[in-house]
Each structure stands twice: as structure tokens, then as C-alpha cells.
Amino acid sequence: MSIYQISGDRLNHLNNQMNQLQPGQIVQGKIVKIFPGNKARITLGSRSMIAQLEASLIIGERYHFQVKSTDHLLHLQVLGKPLKNGNKLNAETLLQQLGFKGTKGNIDLVNGLIQKSIPFDKKDIANAIPLLDRAVSKNTVIQLLQQMITYKLPVTNAVLRAIHSMQTSDISRQMQAMLSSANEKELGNNLFRMLEGFHTRPENLYALLTAESAKQAKVNNQGLFSLLQLTGVINDKIDFSTWKSAWNNDTSEAGQSAFSIKMSSALQGLEQIIKQKVAFTQAGEENLLMWRKKLSEAIANNTGLTKEEFSTLKQQILQILSPKLWKPSVMENLNNHPADLERIFHILKALSSISTSANSEKLLNQIKTGNTFLQAPPKDQFLMHLKHWLTASGIDYENQIATDRISPDPSLKGMLLQLMSSGSGRVQEQAAQFLHFIHGLQLSSVHETNGFLHISLQIPGQKLGLLKDINLEFESRKTESGQINPEHCRIVFDLHLENLHETLVDMHVQKRAVTITVYNDADNPGEIFGNFKTMLKSGLEHLNYQLSIVQYRKLHKLEQQNRKVFPDQQMTQGVDYRI
């Protein structure tokens, strides 16, 4: 539900603020009073103004007018004769005057624009008709075209697809579809990690290690196991087969004992491995090259190395590990028999593996980022997430290019564009759909006039632990510098709370006095929300605002009212977040 639907004056407000009449536009008006010199007071929708006319008209009659100029006085040219009572008949007549066919779809489009007092010009209709002709769902496309003309957006197929995608999908669904369409290799590491980061709630150290350990064990990858055991995080008496068996049956007691990990030691161990990754990789490669053949033969023949060879091997590996790592006892406790030689072989592979090092670094970054995020208060989590989304999503991608301020970090939109040119099949198709959606977000995010600013934001919700995305709307007078005026603004939060369900919070600010209306269908909203009133008042005072009043309304009554007033408007879904 939008900010305009709450106030119940969406179209009038929108037209008054955004649709300042421009030459060439066509509107329907009624003659209220005639003045000398072919001047008249006319009403155009909810507006009343004095206009210069080019014909003698009849008081009380309605006409179609075309704007000729808007210099010092509005100059209007009359199109045709006084209008009849049938709205669709008038729309058909206007279409014919403009040189277009009076098909049902064309009539419905023009009639809708007129009834909603949305100014349009001939070019708008000329561009809209081919899009409408190709449409399967005429009514849906008519609504979208009306919105495009209202917001003065280009009437093109690309914009139509973008607005339709934005209104019928959300960020989370697009991200999930993108992640489901391909693996990390096909998407690229940067894009895959960004999507995962926005689409999932950061996890704590235990959860991340648990998930990664289980993932690697199930595909028989010993890399993380070997590194964690080298740092002393995993008991050196546990071999990989026991570890793997435990994760394949993680409800067993073996799973509990196998994963007896000290979390602080794991973090320190991973940090040390990443810090020394160049030295470890180089030494691991050298030793693996030196010992691969002998180790492979001994393991295959179920024998050991010679006593001298085994002693030399242990000393070389200990030189790599100590003092860089704290647990050389893993090596000291190994014996010269095939099972232990196989463990040594995998230790060398883990140390020399670039992919193991990269995976460990990725895991460490996830842990650090997640810890910073999870330890922050909810307000700070929200602000960090919002800032990251606005900078990383590419919402201002074209502006960055135009102003030559390209960020060194790739944006979501930039990576999707790259994938469009290099990808194929389902991946390329999904990237195109996601780009349409982002384009729709860009087109609908900011609308402004000389004195008014309206901002709509959609933010991924999963990172905040929500099941749905966050939708926020800001409405404000503009300051002299063109920014939101913090003393005169309105903010709407559309929330879907776990226990309280759909909740709308409508906040008005006038001269730093804050009035809040909470829409919810709870039986006792005052008792529920009243507990936060003192906290809210204190927080506002800290920011130099004063809480004026908090009032409660039934949400279902508001929805019923708006369905009657705006039956063609889609209701926005709520989100789960406590603000």
C-alpha cells in the first residue's frame, strides 16, 4: 500500500505535484466563468485556473483542450465540440480527431487518462498503441501505460517491461531465481557472493563452519578439515573418514564429537592461514612435488617410507607449520604407516591448494562481516544494509558513468550487464529479467518537481532476517538545495511482523513535530504498541524532534476504502521487520 493510498488522494496529489502542464498536452476541462478577451476560468481535474482560449465556449460545458503555451498565461486550444455524457464516446471521438483507430483498447486507455485527469500528448498515444496492440493482458498494460504517462516516462517497450517486472516481482525473488539458474562458476565469484550476501542472513562463526564443513565432507574434500586440524581446532586423533561419516549422519553422537571445535581458535587459525597463505602455498607445492611419488607408492602398496625418509618429511612439514601455526603436534603424533601417510599427503595438498586458500579466505571474510553485522543494534544493521544496497546495487549505475565516477567495486547491475554479453541460455535470460527489474526500480525510485520530492525504496529483506523485502516511501518538500526537508516530510513503513502481521506506520513531520498513525488489525493495538511510546519519544527528542500524537486505525477498513477508490491499484505486500 503506497503513501498516496493511505491519504486517499493519490491521483489528485500526483497530478498537482508532477503534471505541470506542458505544450502539446491534452486535457479535459470544464468552463466555469467567461471573462473579456477570450479568457476563462476552467477546472482541469481538481485544479482551477485562468486560461487564454482561442474560441468562444459555453459556460458549464466540458471540452478537450490542447495546451499551446504556458508562458505567463495558460493558452489552450479547443479540440472539437462540447463533450457528451458518454465518457467512452468522447474518448473515441478524441482518438479520431488525433488520427487513431477507436478500438476498445485504445478507447479504454484514453478514457482512463481523461478520467484520472492525467495530461497526455499525441506522441504518448502514438507510442502506447503499438505496445497495447501486442499485449495479451490489455487491462494490465493500460494501467502500466497510464502510470508511465503520469510519471512522464518514455513510452517504450523497455520501460513497459521494466515497470511491469518491478510491480510483479521483488528483489528477493529475482536474486533467488538468479542463484537457482546457475552455479558459482557460471555466475562468477563476485556476482555469486554479492547475491548470497544480500539474499541470506549473516550467520555466526559456528553456523558458518558447520555449513562449510558439512558441504566439503559430503563431496569428499579434505581441504578445510586438514587446515582446521593443523591449527589444533579439530582433535588430531580424528581422521577424515570419521569426520565425513559424522557429517553424513549429523544427528549421530559421532557428529557431535567430531565437530568439537573451539570457535575462537578456529577464527585465529583461519586468520593465520590467510596471513601466511603465500608462504604456505609455496612451501606446500615444493614439498608435494618432492614427496608426491613416494607417498603415492607407499599408500598404494600399503607400506611405509624408510625411517630416514619419514623423519625428513616430518621435519620439512614442521618447518612450514611452526611457529606460524600453534599445533605441530598433529604431525608429531603421526606414524609411518599408510593411513597416516595419506593424511600427510592431504595436508600437503591443502597447504599447496590455491582453491583451498581462496575458500578459507572467503569463509574468514564471511565470518568477520557476519560478526560485525550481527553484533550491531537493529537500527545500525538496517542503516548498514541500506547503505550497502544503495552503493552496490547499481541503482545509480548510469549516473556514475555519465559523471565519470565509476566505483572500483563492481555493482550488481554492472555484473548483470557483463553476464548478458558473456552468458548464454537460462543464465542470460535470467540476467535480462533481473536487469528489467532493476531498471524498473530506477525509474520508480525518485519523482520530483520544483518544490516536491517523492522517493520509493525497496530493500532486500533476507539479510535482516526477514521473509519479504522492505518497502519504504518518503514524501517531502524540497529544501533550497533540492534535498528532503527534515522539518516537513512524510514516511510510510509497510511492515509484516511475525506476530502482529500486516502493519502500516504512517509518520508525518511538521516543524519537527511528529504525528504517527499505526494501521493494524490487532484487538488491542494501544496496549501492544504503547510499550514503545516512551522509547520512541526519547529517541525523537534525542534527534531534536517532538512526538505529538500516536493514533491507531484498523488496517482492513483502510484497505476496503482504498479498494473502492482505487480498484485498479495493486496492494503492496508487507515485510517482516521491526523499526
Side-chain angles (χ1 to χ4, degrees):
M1 181 177 296
S2 77
I3 191 171
Y4 300 110
Q5 289 173 301
I6 293 175
S7 62
D9 59 356
R10 182 179 195 272
L11 292 178
N12 287 337
H13 177 87
L14 190 61
N15 290 326
N16 285 334
Q17 293 294 339
M18 294 194 60
N19 288 320
Q20 306 299 321
L21 294 175
Q22 302 294 326
Q25 288 185 324
I26 298 169
V27 293
Q28 184 183 112
K30 181 178 181 180
I31 305 300
V32 178
K33 189 174 182 178
I34 301 291
F35 300 103
N38 284 337
K39 293 183 177 66
R41 178 177 294 280
I42 64 175
T43 57
L44 303 175
S46 62
R47 292 171 289 180
S48 177
M49 59 190 69
I50 303 297
Q52 179 76 51
L53 305 178
E54 297 184 2
S56 297
L57 304 178
I58 303 171
I59 294 176
E61 292 290 351
R62 294 178 299 127
Y63 297 85
H64 287 138
F65 299 100
Q66 187 169 36
V67 180
K68 303 301 292 182
S69 67
T70 59
D71 297 333
H72 300 292
L73 187 66
L74 182 66
H75 288 253
L76 299 176
Q77 177 183 352
V78 181
L79 299 178
K81 299 179 180 179
L83 302 182
K84 300 178 181 180
N85 291 329
N87 292 328
K88 291 193 174 183
L89 181 61
N90 292 327
E92 183 177 8
T93 301
L94 178 60
L95 280 166
Q96 292 172 351
Q97 291 172 335
L98 296 175
F100 301 114
K101 294 180 180 180
T103 64
K104 182 180 183 304
N106 294 351
I107 292 171
D108 289 342
L109 170 63
V110 172
N111 184 53
L113 292 169
I114 293 170
Q115 296 308 308
K116 295 176 181 177
S117 302
I118 301 173
F120 60 92
D121 57 31
K122 184 176 180 179
K123 184 178 179 182
D124 290 331
I125 304 304
N127 291 333
I129 286 177
L131 301 178
L132 185 57
D133 288 341
R134 296 196 297 266
V136 176
S137 177
K138 304 290 186 185
N139 290 336
T140 298
V141 171
I142 286 173
Q143 292 177 34
L144 294 172
L145 290 170
Q146 289 173 355
Q147 292 175 37
M148 291 161 61
I149 295 171
T150 297
Y151 288 107
K152 295 185 174 64
L153 299 176
V155 184
T156 64
N157 185 53
V159 173
L160 179 67
R161 292 183 66 180
I163 297 298
H164 181 260
S165 176
M166 189 269 296
Q167 294 190 0
T168 56
S169 186
D170 55 44
I171 300 170
S172 294
R173 274 187 281 178
Q174 291 293 330
M175 287 185 174
Q176 181 59 51
M178 199 75 236
L179 289 168
S180 301
S181 68
N183 56 35
E184 184 172 355
K185 183 178 179 180
E186 292 172 307
L187 294 178
N189 291 337
N190 289 335
L191 178 56
F192 187 85
R193 291 179 187 181
M194 180 177 286
L195 292 173
E196 275 200 329
F198 280 127
H199 191 61
T200 55
R201 174 75 170 168
E203 294 180 298
N204 58 36
L205 172 59
Y206 183 87
L208 284 169
L209 277 177
T210 298
E212 187 64 21
S213 296
K215 176 182 175 182
Q216 292 198 19
K218 289 178 180 178
V219 295
N220 209 37
N221 186 337
Q222 299 190 32
L224 181 62
F225 168 81
S226 296
L227 293 181
L228 289 177
Q229 197 166 57
L230 281 175
T231 63
V233 174
I234 299 174
N235 192 317
D236 56 21
K237 295 181 180 179
I238 297 175
D239 58 24
F240 183 71
S241 61
T242 304
W243 176 262
K244 179 181 178 180
S245 175
W247 285 115
N248 287 334
N249 183 20
D250 57 13
T251 58
S252 68
E253 292 183 3
Q256 298 297 323
S257 60
F259 199 64
S260 55
I261 291 180
K262 298 176 182 178
M263 294 301 151
S264 59
S265 298
L267 184 58
Q268 292 174 342
L270 286 173
E271 287 179 333
Q272 191 68 17
I273 289 169
I274 300 307
K275 186 178 180 180
Q276 302 290 338
K277 65 179 181 180
V278 175
F280 282 148
T281 302
Q282 183 178 352
E285 287 177 346
E286 292 174 355
N287 280 274
L288 188 60
L289 181 63
M290 184 184 305
W291 292 100
R292 179 189 292 273
K293 183 178 180 181
K294 290 185 177 181
L295 285 173
S296 298
E297 289 176 351
I299 294 169
N301 296 327
N302 199 30
T303 61
L305 301 174
T306 67
K307 184 177 180 180
E308 292 77 14
E309 288 174 337
F310 185 70
S311 177
T312 302
L313 173 61
K314 287 183 65 173
Q315 288 302 316
Q316 289 177 346
I317 296 178
L318 285 172
Q319 287 177 6
I320 301 174
L321 302 179
S322 182
K324 298 183 181 74
L325 295 177
W326 304 284
K327 193 72 174 187
S329 63
V330 175
M331 287 301 304
E332 293 172 352
N333 294 333
L334 293 178
N335 297 309
N336 187 16
H337 55 72
D340 283 354
L341 292 179
E342 185 172 4
R343 294 176 70 179
I344 293 173
F345 181 71
H346 285 292
I347 287 172
L348 290 174
K349 285 183 64 178
L351 289 173
S352 63
S353 171
I354 296 176
S355 62
T356 298
S357 176
N359 288 336
S360 300
E361 188 168 9
K362 173 186 173 183
L363 180 61
L364 181 62
N365 289 335
Q366 286 180 312
I367 290 170
K368 289 185 173 180
T369 302
N371 283 347
T372 301
F373 189 83
L374 293 173
Q375 291 171 8
K379 179 193 75 172
D380 293 340
Q381 288 186 20
F382 175 77
L383 292 176
M384 284 191 289
H385 181 46
L386 174 61
K387 182 178 179 180
H388 186 205
W389 170 249
L390 293 178
T391 55
S393 62
I395 293 294
D396 62 342
Y397 180 78
E398 288 77 9
N399 183 261
Q400 287 186 23
I401 295 176
T403 56
D404 196 25
R405 54 182 185 89
I406 301 296
S407 170
D409 298 319
S411 69
L412 174 59
K413 183 169 185 177
M415 287 188 285
L416 288 172
L417 286 169
Q418 186 176 7
L419 192 61
M420 277 287 294
S421 61
S422 61
S424 61
R426 185 183 176 192
V427 177
Q428 189 179 54
E429 179 183 347
Q430 191 56 52
Q433 292 181 18
F434 204 163
L435 283 169
H436 283 309
F437 178 82
I438 292 177
H439 189 200
L441 288 181
Q442 291 176 295
L443 292 170
S444 61
S445 60
V446 179
H447 299 291
E448 57 183 313
T449 61
N450 292 333
F452 197 83
L453 190 64
H454 177 77
I455 300 173
S456 295
L457 291 178
Q458 186 175 136
I459 311 162
Q462 278 74 4
K463 189 169 183 177
L464 296 169
L466 313 179
L467 299 177
K468 300 179 182 178
D469 293 331
I470 300 170
N471 293 282
L472 302 176
E473 297 201 24
F474 302 81
E475 183 181 75
S476 171
R477 296 179 185 176
K478 290 197 295 186
T479 63
E480 292 183 359
S481 61
Q483 305 299 312
I484 287 178
N485 188 337
E487 296 191 1
H488 298 277
C489 60
R490 185 178 186 183
I491 306 174
V492 174
F493 303 87
D494 187 359
L495 313 173
H496 194 94
L497 307 174
E498 183 176 356
N499 296 317
L500 298 175
H501 308 297
E502 185 100 22
T503 303
L504 289 175
V505 181
D506 184 11
M507 184 176 78
H508 288 256
V509 180
Q510 290 292 333
K511 296 181 179 180
R512 306 194 78 84
V514 179
T515 299
I516 294 178
T517 303
V518 179
Y519 296 90
N520 184 272
D521 283 333
D523 294 331
N524 54 342
E527 295 180 14
I528 297 171
F529 297 104
N531 297 329
F532 300 99
K533 190 173 180 180
T534 302
M535 186 189 309
L536 175 62
K537 184 177 180 181
S538 175
L540 288 172
E541 289 175 351
H542 181 71
L543 297 172
N544 196 26
Y545 287 89
Q546 299 295 321
L547 181 61
S548 176
I549 188 174
V550 178
Q551 53 191 353
Y552 307 99
R553 299 286 185 269
K554 289 295 184 182
L555 179 62
H556 73 274
K557 292 183 179 180
L558 178 68
E559 291 176 339
Q560 291 171 357
Q561 173 187 345
N562 283 306
R563 287 194 186 102
K564 294 177 182 177
V565 177
F566 306 109
D568 60 339
Q569 295 293 330
Q570 293 291 327
M571 303 298 289
T572 304
Q573 295 298 314
V575 296
D576 287 289
Y577 199 64
R578 170 185 162 193
I579 297 180

